[in-house]
Amino acid sequence: MSKKPTLDFIILGFAKCGTTTLHALLADHPEIYMSRVKEPRFFCDENYHNRWPWYQRLFEHAPEGALRGEASVRYSEAEFEVLSRQRIMQHYPDIKVVFIARDPIHRIESQFREHHSSGYLLGISCPFSLAEALRKFPNMIHDTLYLQRYNNYRQYLPRENIHVLFLEELKQNTQQALQKLCRFLGVDDGYVPDDLGLIKNHGATKYRDTALFRTLKQRRHKGENGFTLRHLPFHERQRIWRRNGWRVPFGKEPIIWPDDPWAILGEAFAEDCLQFLHQQGRAISLWPAFEKKLSLRQKNVSNEARLI
């Protein structure tokens, strides 16, 4: 095996919670070098044993003495977390890890948009209905069970090696949130990023198919006389689709939830998120969308009890 690069910390997740923004903010710190590829996903690669030279090159331009970090949310996804954690701990037993969480309702909505925007690159055809998407892709729920995902690493790392921050707090007071993170990492906490309002990978910029375009693509896959531009480079296809209105931005339009989301999310979902908040010393008011849906659920249960 090739020589392992020095690795001081990893931003593990959670997905769709601001890891891209956090990666960019830390990359601007003069005492930190972030891998030149965001999301290397190295430790969950089935062929990772043979890819150490590639992983090492991600840090080859790191200045002397700079902390080295990377960000791969796949390491905290339910499907890959155990394998990733085992490999990380095998090679870097003293690693520091960072989690960034957000209102779980908004996380699911963001992943729903992402499935529509880029899912076709992975062969994913996301339903237009959020309820159908949650049933078709249960990992949208599993990856939002923050406490379960967090505990996969907490069982094997001391608390002082784990830092949790919240996207809501990062947006509300970026400087304060970064100061705490810098102290955890052991770098200068007086660092002020060039753009405190930096938000990357914003959900409003995501695109989705129109119903007509989805139908045309499905006809093509069935061998009928459907629409195709497969002879063009991918970026050209994207440009034409958007120019002709076949793929349109989500913008700020709200995602429509089912009347009873807990019938899909499950009671364990609410309990996990509540316990995670409590463990991190945060009030439920930090997540207003989650609080609202939980309050409606509790109100409905109370009404049902009175009718019995």
Side-chain angles (χ1 to χ4, degrees), residues 222-238:
K222 291 179 181 178
E224 302 175 24
N225 292 324
F227 175 83
T228 181
L229 289 172
R230 297 180 67 181
H231 62 287
L232 294 177
F234 175 73
H235 70 277
E236 283 295 316
R237 282 181 276 164
Q238 282 280 74

Side-chain angles (χ1 to χ4, degrees), residues 23 34-41 54 58 69-72:
H23 180 280
M34 299 299 294
S35 63
R36 61 183 178 83
V37 173
K38 197 260 178 183
E39 300 276 355
R41 302 173 180 176
W54 173 83
L58 297 184
E70 65 127 305
S72 296

Side-chain angles (χ1 to χ4, degrees), residues 6 42 45 50 73 91 105-106 119 132 222 241 255 258 264 273:
T6 298
F42 174 70
D45 190 310
N50 298 319
V73 298
H91 297 286
I105 300 303
H106 292 159
E132 292 178 21
K222 291 179 181 178
W241 293 341
I255 302 297
I264 304 174
C273 293

Side-chain angles (χ1 to χ4, degrees), residues 18-291:
T19 56
T20 301
T21 294
L22 192 59
H23 180 280
L25 288 169
L26 289 179
D28 198 38
H29 194 294
E31 297 177 17
I32 294 176
Y33 183 86
M34 299 299 294
S35 63
R36 61 183 178 83
V37 173
K38 197 260 178 183
E39 300 276 355
R41 302 173 180 176
F42 174 70
F43 293 103
C44 56
D45 190 310
E46 62 181 16
N47 193 36
Y48 98 107
H49 295 285
N50 298 319
R51 300 191 70 211
W52 282 102
W54 173 83
Y55 194 60
Q56 188 174 21
R57 286 195 296 273
L58 297 184
F59 304 95
E60 63 184 351
H61 298 301
E64 183 71 25
L67 291 188
R68 302 181 183 194
E70 65 127 305
S72 296
V73 298
R74 185 161 289 185
Y75 301 158
S76 66
E77 292 177 355
E79 183 178 357
F80 302 101
E81 64 179 3
V82 173
L83 177 63
S84 299
R85 184 255 304 156
Q86 290 174 340
R87 289 174 170 176
I88 292 169
M89 296 300 298
Q90 175 186 351
H91 297 286
Y92 301 98
D94 299 319
I95 194 77
K96 288 186 175 181
V97 300
V98 178
F99 291 95
I100 179 169
R102 72 186 298 191
D103 190 312
I105 300 303
H106 292 159
R107 197 213 78 81
I108 286 176
E109 291 176 348
S110 181
Q111 189 164 20
F112 178 68
R113 291 187 180 95
E114 188 64 50
H115 278 348
H116 277 280
S117 186
S118 60
Y120 59 89
L121 296 174
L122 302 173
I124 292 175
S125 178
C126 187
F128 290 111
S129 161
L130 175 61
E132 292 178 21
L134 289 170
R135 293 188 180 97
K136 183 175 181 180
F137 305 114
N139 269 19
M140 291 175 66
I141 298 173
H142 298 159
D143 292 341
T144 319
L145 298 175
Y146 296 140
L147 186 63
Q148 286 189 27
R149 308 285 73 83
Y150 169 88
N151 281 341
N152 173 58
Y153 286 89
R154 176 64 186 89
Q155 294 179 66
Y156 299 91
L157 282 170
R159 187 176 297 275
E160 58 267 23
N161 282 43
I162 304 177
H163 183 77
V164 178
L165 67 158
F166 293 83
L167 180 60
E168 292 80 8
E169 295 175 347
L170 182 65
K171 292 168 68 175
Q172 182 179 10
N173 193 329
T174 306
Q175 186 61 39
Q176 184 180 76
L178 284 177
Q179 282 180 340
K180 293 179 180 178
L181 178 56
C182 287
R183 290 170 194 155
F184 165 75
L185 294 175
V187 294
D188 179 17
D189 65 359
Y191 148 72
V192 178
D194 293 334
D195 185 359
L196 284 174
L198 180 68
I199 296 293
K200 296 284 188 179
N201 205 18
H202 199 283
T205 65
K206 302 299 180 181
Y207 279 74
R208 60 177 174 80
D209 291 348
T210 62
L212 174 60
F213 188 44
R214 179 72 61 84
T215 300
L216 290 172
K217 289 197 296 185
Q218 289 173 344
R219 287 178 59 190
R220 186 197 71 197
H221 290 315
K222 291 179 181 178
E224 302 175 24
N225 292 324
F227 175 83
T228 181
L229 289 172
R230 297 180 67 181
H231 62 287
L232 294 177
F234 175 73
H235 70 277
E236 283 295 316
R237 282 181 276 164
Q238 282 280 74
R239 185 179 61 82
I240 292 172
W241 293 341
R242 295 175 183 178
R243 185 185 66 193
N244 287 280
W246 296 325
R247 279 180 63 80
V248 296
F250 273 97
K252 295 184 178 181
E253 62 183 72
I255 302 297
I256 306 302
W257 281 78
D259 292 335
D260 183 12
W262 304 107
I264 304 174
L265 297 176
E267 297 299 330
F269 178 93
E271 187 61 27
D272 180 280
C273 293
L274 284 170
Q275 287 188 22
F276 183 74
L277 278 173
H278 178 72
Q279 181 195 69
Q280 299 302 320
R282 303 303 197 279
I284 192 173
S285 57
L286 182 66
W287 290 342
F290 173 66
E291 182 181 26

